[in-house]
Amino acid sequence: MNKSDILEELTSRKLLDIDTPIILVDGFEDAFLGITASKPINSIYDYWICLDLLIKREGLDFDTAIDSLDEFIDQDLGNNAPKYLKYV
């Protein structure tokens, strides 16, 4: 699934209006879980899958991948910044 597929799925299910701002992250499509139920609408990604994608795709070791992902997540992207779910 790519970003266009995700947007099409969200709009066809009426979960997202075409004019609603949302940030989708390039390269993390396999980690996409959905969107928040409350406003502002944020995309939600599985933190652990994002980490795994960085390790496999970028060849990073575990600690470097965590540092890189955490630095990426900490960027100030405003109210519509993606959310990353860590579960145990």
Side-chain angles (χ1 to χ4, degrees):
M1 190 173 250
N2 61 38
K3 285 173 36 174
S4 296
D5 295 336
I6 292 169
L7 286 173
E8 184 177 323
E9 187 70 24
L10 291 171
T11 54
S12 71
R13 290 184 182 195
K14 298 185 181 3
L15 297 173
L16 186 70
D17 293 329
I18 195 82
D19 297 326
T20 303
I22 190 167
I23 298 173
L24 299 175
V25 183
D26 286 329
F28 285 166
E29 291 84 2
D30 290 342
F32 181 77
L33 297 174
I35 59 173
T36 56
S38 60
K39 293 187 180 188
I41 301 294
N42 303 91
S43 55
I44 303 171
Y45 292 88
D46 183 314
Y47 179 90
W48 304 115
I49 294 176
C50 291
L51 185 64
D52 190 53
L53 289 168
L54 285 176
I55 291 168
K56 289 179 179 174
R57 188 176 55 225
E58 304 296 326
L60 302 176
D61 64 68
F62 184 78
D63 291 333
T64 304
I66 286 179
D67 291 343
S68 178
L69 182 56
D70 288 346
E71 184 177 312
F72 179 75
I73 290 171
D74 287 339
Q75 293 180 52
D76 184 9
L77 300 176
N79 289 336
N80 297 101
K83 305 292 184 191
Y84 297 84
L85 178 66
K86 287 183 180 179
Y87 57 89
V88 292

